[in-house]
Every structure is written in structure tokens, then in C-alpha cells.
Amino acid sequence: MLPPPQPPPQPQGAMATGAANHAVPCSAGRPTKRNQRRNPASLSVRASSDANTVTLLDYGAGNVRSVRNAIRHLGFNIRDVRSPEDILSADRLVFPGVGAFGSAMDVLTRTGMADALREYIRRDRPFLGICLGLQLLFDSSEENGPVSGLGVIPGVVRRFDSSEGLIVPHIGWNALQINKDTQLLQGVDGHHVYFVHSYYAPPSDANRDWISSTCNYGQSFISSISMGNIQAVQFHPEKSGATGLSIFEKFLSPNSSGAKVPSHKKASKLAKRVIACLDVRSNDNGDLVVTKGDQYDVRDHSSSKEVRNLGKPVELASQYYIDGADEVSFLNITGFRAFPLGDLPMLEVLRCASEKVFVPLTVGGGIRDFTDASGRYYSSLEVASEYFRSGADKISIGSDAVFAAEAYLQSGVKTGKSSLEQISRVYGNQAVVVSIDPRRVYVKSPDEVQFKTVKVSNKGPLGEEYAWYQCTVSGGRDSRPIGAYELAQAVEELGAGEILLNCIDCDGQGCGFDIDLIKMVSDAVTIPVIASSGAGSVEHFSEVFEKTNASAALAAGIFHRKEVPILSVKEHLEDAGVEVRMQ
Ligand code: 1PR
């Protein structure tokens, strides 16, 4: 599920902090503020007779910015549901579920919207549920429960079982198997779409008539339902690239055939992801640029010592989306110095990118508690919330997660107060990535250190056969007394949903990923690991997927310098028998 923000989001266009007031339009043709924000006096006008208007049920517990962006991108206006009557009068209702099953049902029941939804569905009015918006249609869920759902479809929503080593949450691009001929899913049989969830609806004889597609992850689960005008999908069409937008379009304008979905080899399972990463910071002129370091040194080696400038963040992110990146990550690499909420250009970059990039966006840098110059305290949760509100689907925590893991390993107690714990509790662990910045330390024997070592593939400078990977903070500036292995296991326990595993030694070197490190960490946790640092050729990607349990591979320099196109990486992986999403 995509993350719910805290505090709940304001009606569309309105932002919770002053930062948002500085927002400027990212592109021409974007709906005006007047269009976006509804005048309360106009709420008595219930019917949305405008064929270009879609009603959106944002019950206030979730961040539905990506859904809004996708709807607007397709040329539709949004009418927000304010009351149960708005549901009943909708011509076309989109219900993007976010947050936990129980709290969503609480809000829907308390506001009378649960009954209105049941009635709307009973009348067979056009409905599209997304993710939790599919699960809530079922009888009940195991999530913090059992908790009763809307009871439209027979069945109990269950949690994926990680006891046999299945990586949970189920994050990534998985193949759809279509079971029913529906207009919504026409042309997308065997395509990958983007999922992020820990709970699923199992197919059964009782709900067989509802199922329009299934997907396989550990076991078969319902990826979409369709009955009359009632449709719902477990995946995120708003984050599923061209395939997702075409699905959305077919719902929003049923007479259209939707954007053309390119045909390709049939997908069959969870794809390995290829991620483009943009390290972002201000250069010496104060412009926010994409930069790229060698072993984290981003300054030119010429006499000028300028911060390397590899392009504009929004332009590059949009290009990588078009080129087929499965995700785009922004790392605000000097976020540890400055207060991220003071970094209005970075938030604006995120807002603009999220209007153009319809695959998941991760942002990291500077997520921690902070007291500003005037003495006002901001919790890390507030910082993360602003990132989510500005368009992030996931946030990534670096330095602060190291401190949290150290404290946890020392005391053995989860205080619940670290940024990692607080953010994953509110937003769900699938929305929290921990970025690890380790440096290789060679040793002659594993007994020399208390940390997990590996027998290295290439011996150290003094013939050392072993190494441990020491974690750092503040962009590699300070080393800490904790290894990458220990950190990975601790942050999984504290609530991380994914690990971004960098390696300072390999960063920018183009000599390949550190297979020893990635194998050690990806074998140590049951959450997805993103291999990062060192990609220099397409073969490096197939090597990391063949030799480790990494779920994704991330690169920066080779994409920025246009040395290796994303499509070449995907084609090579496909030829090597690694399943990837082709668009
Ligand atoms: O500590 O919570 O403020 O987060 C800071 C974030 O910024 C962390 O995720 C940290 O990894 C990142 N960061 C800090 N300093 C740097 C730097 O480069 N000076 N960048 C930095 C990390 C590593 C990867 C890079 C890969 C692939 N960059 O993001 O993109 O190594 O590069 P390659 O394909 O060119 O080899 P906090």
C-alpha cells in the first residue's frame, strides 16, 4: 500500500507547511489552484455532469497525490468526496486505499461512507478501487484483526507468509494473468504492473466470479476484480508506467481504447528492478543539480574543485522514466547538513517530478528530528510527511538509521522513538528504505573483529582474505562501530521495508557491484535489497542478479553520462534469462 501521511493531507492542492505556498507550476496546462481547491459553498452541487470530471474518495488517511497526478495527466478534473452524498452522486468513482485496513474501515464507517460505498456498488455505478481499495471490498482482513470489511466480495484478506524466505512486502513489478475479458485490462495480459503490499486477497470458489486477473507471489493472489461496472486492482496503475496509465484511461473514459500498450514477451513473475539514482545537491552557485561522485567525492578533480554538474533533476528523472527505469531515487546528499524542509527547491523538484514520472519515486537525505534557528522542533515524521506530500512514494533514511540501529543493538530495546520506527509505524514499512553507506575494511582473520566478515573474492592490499563492511554517516564522512550485516538485520527489525545497499569503495568506479557485500546482506534479511554502486556495464547487472539475492540494481554515473542506456541493461538481462519489465 502507498503511504498514509501524518497529519492527514489537506484537500487537493493544499499543503501542510509553509513550504508548499512557494510552489510554482511545473508545467503549462496544469489545473489552476481555482480548479483544484473547491469552494465549500459549491459542495451542494452534487452531480458531476462534466464528462471530464472524476470523483475521488480520499478519506483523509492517505496520501493520494500520485493518483491525482495520474488523473490530471490524463486530462481529467477531480472532484473530492466530502460527504456520503458525494459518493452516491458520482458519475465515476476512484477509491485509492491507503494505510491500514482497520483504520480505513473505522473512518469509512464513522463518516457514513462505508454505507454509501456499499450502496454505490449495489447500484453498479462505475467504480475503481486501488490496492487497499480492492481489499476493503472483501469480508474481512487479518491485518491487525480480524477486521470486517465492506463485505461485497467473499473472502478474508491475508498476510504473505515470510517464514519460508518469501520477501515481504511484495514490492515491485509483477506479471498479470488475465482470467476474464474486461475492457479495463485489454492488452495488458502478461504485462508487469507495480505492486507494493504485505496483504493479499486469495482466490477461492466463493469469489471466482469476481476475479479478472491473478498474480503469483509465493502463491496465487487476486490482482484485480471486475463485475459489471465495479473494478478494483491490487496493483498501482498510477505507478505502473504506460501500462498503468492505459488501464486508468480505460476506466476514466470507457469509450477510449486507452494509450497503446506496447507488446512484448509475456511476463510471468516478479521482475528484477533497474533503478536510476540522482544524487542531488546545490552547486557553488546555489543551483540544485544532479551530481555524481567517485567514492562519494563529488567535486571535480581539476583546479576549480567545483561540484560536478550532470544535469537538472526533473529533466533527468523524466528522461529515465521514459527510458524505462522501474523506479527513480533522489538522494539529497547534503541533507544531513541543512534542514530539508528549508530546502524548498528540493521539495519543488519532487513535486514537479511526480507530475511526470509514473513509476515509484524515492527520496532521501536529512530525515531526522530537527530544531530550526528559531527553536521550532520538527520531528523526522514531519520531514518525511512533507516528502510524501511533495510526491515521494518511499523515503530513504541514511545516517539516522545507523544511530537507531546502534542504540537498538546496544540496549536490545525498541524504543519506538527512532525516525525509522515512527515513520514505518505511520506509513507502513513498505514506504521506508534504509540507505547504507559502508566502506570495506580488510582483516586477516574473522576473529579480528566483532562484526560479520566475508571471505573476499579479491584479496586486500596486504593479502588479507577477509573483510567487514563498516557503516558510515554524513555521506561517508564519519565511520561508525557497526557493520553492514548487523545494521541490515537491526533495521529490518526496527521496521525498514527495503535496503539500499551502497558501497563507498565501488561508488563511481564502474568496476561492478560489490558482490561479496551484496550477497552477505541480501542473504541476511527477508526484505528486498537494492544493489548499488559500481555499475559500469550491462554485464554487471546480470552478475549481481545471478550471484546474489538482490531484488533491484541501482546505477547513477553510467546513466547520467549516457554510457549505457537503461534499455540496453534490460535487453541484456532479458537475454540472460533474468525477468525484467519491458515497456
Ligand atoms: O544520511 O539520511 O542524510 O542520507 C543521505 C543520503 O545521501 C544517503 O542515502 C547517502 O547514501 C547519500 N549520499 C551522501 N553523500 C553522498 C555522496 O555521494 N557524497 N550519495 C551520497 C550516495 C551513492 C549512490 C550512488 C551509487 C551509484 N551516492 O546513491 O548513486 O553509488 O553510483 P554509480 O552507479 O555511479 O556507481 P542521510
Side-chain angles (χ1 to χ4, degrees):
M1 273 143 247
L2 290 179
Q6 189 64 255
Q10 302 300 306
Q12 55 189 90
M15 295 285 174
T17 73
N21 298 329
H22 299 267
V24 291
C26 301
S27 56
R30 180 179 161 174
T32 62
K33 276 257 161 29
R34 194 161 57 85
N35 279 344
Q36 290 180 37
R37 193 173 292 138
R38 296 187 66 80
N39 176 354
S42 70
L43 292 178
S44 55
V45 183
R46 300 289 182 212
S48 58
S49 51
D50 178 358
N52 270 345
T53 298
V54 58
T55 303
L56 184 74
L57 174 48
D58 172 1
Y59 49 87
N63 185 356
V64 299
R65 187 183 176 98
S66 303
V67 172
R68 290 182 190 282
N69 283 341
I71 293 173
R72 291 203 188 106
H73 176 81
L74 292 168
F76 288 79
N77 303 316
I78 296 168
R79 183 180 77 126
D80 274 295
V81 168
R82 300 276 194 271
S83 68
E85 293 74 42
D86 290 338
I87 293 178
L88 294 171
S89 64
D91 286 337
R92 197 156 292 283
L93 182 68
V94 175
F95 179 30
V98 275
F101 193 103
S103 47
M105 272 314 290
D106 276 353
V107 176
L108 294 175
T109 306
R110 202 166 1 96
T111 54
M113 293 197 193
D115 284 339
L117 271 174
R118 287 190 192 94
E119 177 58 18
Y120 183 84
I121 289 168
R122 196 194 62 74
R123 291 183 194 169
D124 193 27
R125 305 286 301 136
F127 173 90
L128 178 65
I130 298 173
C131 194
L132 188 66
L134 173 140
Q135 296 181 4
L136 289 165
L137 298 177
F138 284 78
D139 286 332
S140 63
S141 171
E142 279 180 352
E143 187 176 2
N144 306 122
V147 181
S148 293
L150 291 169
V152 174
I153 304 176
V156 178
V157 173
R158 304 199 180 282
R159 191 174 198 283
F160 285 114
D161 180 6
S162 58
S163 63
E164 302 279 310
L166 186 72
I167 293 174
V168 179
H170 171 217
I171 297 182
W173 297 80
N174 215 329
L176 288 182
Q177 273 103 45
I178 312 268
N179 310 40
K180 202 188 238 184
D181 192 16
T182 62
Q183 204 238 346
L184 197 72
L185 299 183
Q186 238 165 43
V188 300
D189 191 18
H191 279 64
H192 287 109
V193 288
Y194 185 74
F195 290 88
V196 46
H197 59 132
S198 299
Y199 291 82
Y200 69 96
S204 69
D205 285 348
N207 58 36
R208 192 187 321 130
D209 292 347
W210 284 90
I211 301 172
S212 55
S213 75
T214 54
C215 181
N216 206 295
Y217 188 66
Q219 66 275 306
S220 175
F221 68 88
I222 298 175
S223 45
S224 63
I225 61 94
S226 174
M227 179 85 82
N229 285 313
I230 312 304
Q231 325 259 5
V233 293
Q234 177 60 66
F235 52 90
H236 288 271
E238 75 281 12
K239 286 285 152 189
S240 295
T243 302
L245 290 177
S246 99
I247 292 172
F248 234 130
E249 195 173 8
K250 282 183 222 135
F251 174 75
L252 295 174
S253 79
N255 296 329
S256 88
S257 51
K260 195 162 160 27
V261 179
S263 60
H264 58 79
K265 205 171 128 200
K266 233 176 172 190
S268 63
K269 55 182 187 220
L270 184 67
K272 298 288 185 182
R273 287 170 279 156
V274 176
I275 300 176
C277 181
L278 295 88
D279 289 351
V280 177
R281 63 162 285 172
S282 296
N283 65 11
D284 299 324
N285 301 325
D287 302 323
L288 206 60
V289 296
V290 174
T291 190
K292 184 67 212 76
D294 282 329
Q295 300 183 325
Y296 285 32
D297 178 4
V298 297
R299 291 198 176 263
D300 222 19
H301 290 164
S302 66
S303 56
S304 69
K305 294 262 179 249
E306 276 178 13
V307 170
R308 287 193 197 111
N309 180 348
L310 290 161
K312 294 185 179 162
V314 179
E315 272 176 24
L316 276 183
S318 311
Q319 190 57 50
Y320 293 146
Y321 164 63
I322 292 165
D323 293 347
D326 297 315
E327 272 180 51
V328 175
S329 294
F330 286 111
L331 296 176
N332 186 355
I333 66 169
T334 46
F336 68 90
R337 286 190 200 137
F339 180 42
L341 295 192
D343 196 347
L344 300 179
M346 184 64 206
L347 295 173
E348 191 54 19
V349 158
L350 203 49
R351 279 192 277 271
C352 292
S354 70
E355 292 182 5
K356 296 175 174 165
V357 174
F358 296 99
V359 293
L361 275 177
T362 300
V363 65
I367 296 182
R368 65 189 191 286
D369 296 344
F370 193 89
T371 304
D372 71 11
S374 67
R376 180 170 168 202
Y377 169 79
Y378 295 83
S379 71
S380 54
L381 197 54
E382 285 175 83
V383 178
S385 296
E386 192 53 40
Y387 275 150
F388 285 128
R389 272 193 290 272
S390 301
D393 299 296
K394 300 188 256 187
I395 56 90
S396 157
I397 310 176
S399 309
D400 213 43
V402 178
F403 298 126
E406 283 181 32
Y408 171 52
L409 290 177
Q410 212 161 39
S411 67
V413 176
K414 290 185 203 169
T415 62
K417 291 188 179 145
S418 67
S419 54
L420 171 54
E421 290 163 284
Q422 289 190 49
I423 298 167
S424 64
R425 190 167 53 242
V426 172
Y427 289 88
N429 61 358
Q430 75 286 341
V432 182
V433 182
V434 166
S435 168
I436 310 184
D437 300 313
R439 193 177 270 125
R440 199 184 305 128
V441 183
Y442 290 105
V443 286
K444 288 218 161 68
S445 141
D447 306 333
E448 275 180 43
V449 280
Q450 66 193 96
F451 308 105
K452 172 94 171 166
T453 55
V454 282
K455 192 154 199 262
V456 286
S457 311
N458 299 308
K459 289 184 187 169
L462 303 174
E464 298 96 330
E465 290 190 2
Y466 295 89
W468 70 287
Y469 288 85
Q470 180 167 25
C471 293
T472 65
V473 293
S474 306
R477 285 165 185 79
D478 301 319
S479 299
R480 299 297 307 177
I482 183 168
Y485 175 91
E486 290 76 18
L487 181 82
Q489 289 192 328
V491 297
E492 177 175 13
E493 286 180 39
L494 290 173
E498 210 171 13
I499 286 172
L500 165 53
L501 185 56
N502 303 297
C503 178
I504 296 179
D505 308 82
C506 296
D507 175 57
Q509 303 307 295
C511 299
F513 297 98
D514 190 319
I515 300 295
D516 298 330
L517 166 68
I518 296 160
K519 181 162 172 34
M520 174 179 75
V521 172
S522 61
D523 285 347
V525 293
T526 63
I527 52 179
V529 171
I530 301 166
S532 166
S533 303
S537 68
V538 293
E539 287 78 16
H540 292 149
F541 288 84
S542 48
E543 182 189 26
V544 79
F545 290 131
E546 277 155 14
K547 295 186 176 167
T548 78
N549 275 323
S551 298
L554 172 151
I558 53 166
F559 296 151
H560 302 336
R561 293 187 300 268
K562 302 191 179 7
E563 289 163 7
V564 179
I566 292 173
L567 183 60
S568 304
V569 174
K570 298 257 183 113
E571 285 173 347
H572 168 78
L573 287 171
E574 208 172 35
D575 289 347
V578 178
E579 183 146 342
V580 286
R581 173 186 75 111
M582 297 303 270
Q583 50 163 12

